[in-house]
Amino acid sequence: MTVTILSVFTALIFILNVLLAAALVFLERRDASSTWAWLLVLFFIPIFGFFIYLFLGRRLRKKTLFKWEGTKRVGIESLIAHQMNELHDENFEFMNPNTKDYADLVYLHLRNNGALLTEDNSIQIFNDGRKKFDALLADIENATNHIHVQYYIFRLDELGTRIVDALTAKAKEGVRVRLLYDDMGSRSLRKRHFKELIAAGGEVETFFPSILPIINPRLNYRNHRKIVVIDGDVGYIGGFNVGDEYIGLSRKFGYWRDTHLRIEGGALHPLQTRFIRDWNQASTRHDIEHDEFFFPAKQAKGNTSMQIVSSGPDEDWEQIKDGYVKLINSAKDYIYIQTPYFIPDATFYDAIRIAALSGIDVRIMIPNKPDHPFVYWATYSYIGQMLRAGARVFTYENGFLHTKMIVTDNKASTVGTANIDVRSFKLNFEVNAFIYDEKVSTDLAELFHQDMKLSTELTYEMYLNRTSMIKTKESIARLLAPIL
């Protein structure tokens, strides 16, 4: 009897695997590399593979997750249409002549993502967590109207408690405080942990919350964005999350090297819109309606041109990746890349490989230690190919490198939340600032040069001499790279 039940169960699992495999190939129309990776999981781990797919492999249904009618009242949609028409007719008058060299990239982001170009911004760069959070806490202290905070990871440790206490104090003063965190990234958090903030009038929401404590059918789709907007006047975007490790207090990682931007100027309008859309998707009863104080009239704070570009699995296009590739293809002199994970898809890989083979100075910096070992070995396998193509590769030795940055030719750059991997390109909700400014790009390049002094250059000869164990790890990780 037991043998019969086992046989029926085995046959059922086999049939389910075959049906699921057929759906992968004929119905979901994924790219070939992702399809093959999931087929390997299904057929080599026939029982667990099925359940892994249920939680990690299913596509997010294409639907409007972030609809917000307030964009019409802000006027962003009409401005986007106007900018597209002016660029298409070559009549756009750029305030910064440098931006004109990237008119096609600007147009791409307008058409592909509705990313408004603003040219009156001032940017402050942070590459140290303590300085970034000191500045953030000072801006929170000076808030008078509203504070919008969104992080993928929010820990209630020393740093997180300081921020929540500051938000609670402002809520008691009558400032409207909203805090949004991702359920997977902040999986130890519950709304009850913010009872003092909520009692003071603050509001807290969770992005894609679990149905039950350990069951989340959308756990593979993470809101990886980090956004803060204060009074519609000051904004933050970049790689730092909230936790003690991000200010260098982790024994495992040591110093945490990241990049974050503090922004003043017209870019606050699209950044605010991005937060409101994310908030309203997560909100159960506290949707944000349009109010003028979210979008105050702006006086020029500087002359930096930039676009706020977002992407996610609800979209048909991979907007941030497309911007990365276009930026790489525009480079004439150099391309500097800092990323914790380098697991490019075929499009990105071909673009950077061709750039290196063309004689462009391609430099890639990755961590010298993994936060996710399996992902690290997949990164290492691609790095070997880049070395062969002529790129220079550096491993950062002064702690953990978490920066997501590309800078080219001292003229254009991007900083944000999107890593160079399929997860950021296709599965996560991400946001990046694309910047067209010589000073900002030169400053970012200088930070890269400073980090080179704290790094070890990995040569192709060194890579060829890696151990058999490392080669085995690479091979296994590379097979599953499309679904990591």
Side-chain angles (χ1 to χ4, degrees):
M1 184 65 177
T2 303
V3 175
T4 303
I5 294 174
L6 182 60
S7 299
V8 171
F9 180 75
T10 303
L12 181 60
I13 291 297
F14 177 78
I15 292 171
L16 287 173
N17 272 3
V18 170
L19 292 174
L20 192 53
L24 274 172
V25 175
F26 298 109
L27 298 180
E28 294 209 8
R29 297 190 180 276
R30 298 170 182 262
D31 60 272
S33 58
S34 177
T35 298
W36 278 113
W38 277 115
L39 289 176
L40 283 172
V41 170
L42 290 172
F43 285 105
F44 282 93
I45 320 176
I47 297 177
F48 293 106
F50 174 74
F51 292 102
I52 291 172
Y53 180 81
L54 286 180
F55 281 93
L56 299 181
R58 293 187 303 164
R59 283 189 165 183
L60 190 69
R61 287 186 297 166
K62 301 291 183 182
K63 60 181 181 179
T64 304
L65 291 173
F66 303 103
K67 187 176 178 61
W68 182 55
E69 294 297 332
T71 53
K72 296 177 181 178
R73 297 182 63 184
V74 178
I76 289 178
E77 292 181 354
S78 60
L79 284 172
I80 291 168
H82 173 73
Q83 289 187 352
M84 286 183 63
N85 290 333
E86 291 291 298
L87 284 166
H88 184 269
D89 296 336
E90 298 183 352
N91 293 326
F92 193 92
E93 295 185 7
F94 291 96
M95 294 172 58
N96 186 338
N98 175 70
T99 311
K100 188 174 183 179
D101 294 339
Y102 297 92
D104 52 351
L105 177 54
V106 171
Y107 186 85
L108 168 70
H109 286 318
L110 281 164
R111 185 173 181 179
N112 200 22
N113 191 237
L116 185 70
L117 174 70
T118 57
E119 300 182 278
D120 60 345
N121 301 289
S122 173
I123 292 178
Q124 183 178 1
I125 302 169
F126 293 100
N127 65 336
D128 177 84
R130 290 183 181 274
K131 293 180 180 178
K132 180 259 178 172
F133 285 108
D134 285 346
L136 175 61
L137 285 164
D139 285 328
I140 289 173
E141 174 62 29
N142 292 327
T144 59
N145 186 278
H146 65 275
I147 304 170
H148 291 163
V149 178
Q150 175 179 356
Y151 283 98
Y152 169 60
I153 294 174
F154 199 108
R155 304 192 197 283
L156 285 180
D157 49 20
E158 180 182 337
L159 175 62
T161 300
R162 284 176 61 200
I163 292 175
V164 172
D165 287 347
L167 294 175
T168 303
K170 299 308 290 187
K172 290 178 179 178
E173 293 176 12
V175 174
R176 196 69 182 267
V177 175
R178 296 177 176 90
L179 172 63
L180 174 64
Y181 64 88
D182 182 82
D183 185 73
M184 180 62 184
S186 308
R187 50 189 171 273
S188 63
L189 280 187
R190 299 292 181 269
K191 285 186 181 181
R192 66 176 182 272
H193 295 146
F194 298 96
K195 59 183 180 181
E196 291 186 11
L197 173 59
I198 295 172
E203 298 172 11
V204 179
E205 294 290 354
T206 309
F207 191 88
F208 280 1
S210 302
I211 297 174
L212 295 172
I214 60 172
I215 298 177
N216 190 333
R218 296 182 292 186
L219 66 84
N220 205 34
Y221 302 106
R222 309 169 188 174
N223 196 318
H224 198 235
R225 296 168 183 148
K226 297 96 177 168
I227 296 172
V228 176
V229 179
I230 298 173
D231 290 345
D233 289 325
V234 177
Y236 287 81
I237 182 174
F240 284 107
N241 288 292
V242 174
D244 285 350
E245 66 265 41
Y246 301 100
I247 55 175
L249 297 181
S250 168
R251 291 185 178 181
K252 177 181 178 181
F253 296 112
Y255 182 75
W256 191 279
R257 171 65 176 89
D258 219 321
T259 304
H260 222 89
L261 306 178
R262 181 184 185 273
I263 303 169
E264 295 181 86
L268 267 295
H269 284 185
L271 193 63
Q272 179 83 285
T273 299
R274 178 69 272 163
F275 173 87
I276 291 174
R277 285 173 167 168
D278 283 5
W279 175 270
N280 284 355
Q281 189 286 324
S283 173
T284 53
R285 60 184 184 277
H286 299 124
D287 282 10
I288 298 176
E289 303 294 337
H290 177 269
D291 272 301
E292 294 297 333
F293 54 71
F294 291 139
F295 301 93
K298 294 292 176 190
Q299 292 183 346
K301 298 291 186 177
N303 58 2
T304 295
S305 300
M306 64 189 299
Q307 291 173 286
I308 302 298
V309 181
S310 55
S311 63
D314 59 319
E315 301 282 356
D316 292 325
W317 308 106
E318 299 163 25
Q319 292 97 330
I320 293 177
K321 187 200 78 172
D322 289 349
Y324 281 175
V325 172
K326 186 70 174 175
L327 187 60
I328 288 168
N329 289 339
S330 71
K332 305 296 183 185
D333 183 19
Y334 76 80
I335 303 165
Y336 294 166
I337 297 173
Q338 287 181 309
T339 178
Y341 320 119
F342 188 81
I343 312 175
D345 66 358
T347 303
F348 187 100
Y349 170 74
D350 285 342
I352 199 69
R353 176 183 59 85
I354 290 169
L357 289 171
S358 300
I360 293 173
D361 181 8
V362 175
R363 305 185 192 188
I364 302 169
M365 189 177 295
I366 59 173
N368 76 333
K369 63 182 74 172
D371 62 339
H372 302 293
F374 206 66
V375 175
Y376 185 78
W377 294 118
T379 291
Y380 214 68
S381 71
Y382 283 99
I383 286 301
Q385 293 176 318
M386 294 311 307
L387 287 167
R388 184 181 177 192
R392 297 178 66 186
V393 176
F394 301 84
T395 58
Y396 183 74
E397 305 291 341
N398 190 43
F400 184 72
L401 181 76
H402 192 248
T403 295
K404 304 94 165 51
M405 182 200 78
I406 301 177
V407 57
T408 64
D409 297 348
N410 280 3
K411 296 173 68 176
S413 51
T414 179
V415 172
T417 69
N419 297 305
I420 298 173
D421 60 14
V422 175
R423 172 162 294 283
S424 278
F425 292 166
K426 292 186 176 184
L427 299 177
N428 285 349
F429 298 93
E430 307 281 5
V431 64
N432 269 51
F434 280 77
I435 306 159
Y436 316 102
D437 185 88
E438 292 184 11
K439 183 181 185 306
V440 172
S441 298
T442 301
D443 289 346
L444 289 170
E446 178 57 31
L447 288 175
F448 188 96
H449 288 145
Q450 293 176 18
D451 291 334
M452 283 174 54
K453 298 175 184 177
L454 301 171
S455 302
T456 298
E457 184 164 5
L458 179 65
T459 67
Y460 190 50
E461 290 72 21
M462 293 166 62
Y463 178 78
L464 290 177
N465 289 328
R466 67 200 189 283
T467 65
S468 298
M469 179 60 70
I470 291 177
K471 292 178 182 179
T472 300
K473 291 178 180 179
E474 281 185 32
S475 298
I476 296 172
R478 182 66 175 264
L479 282 173
L480 298 178
I483 59 175
L484 290 177

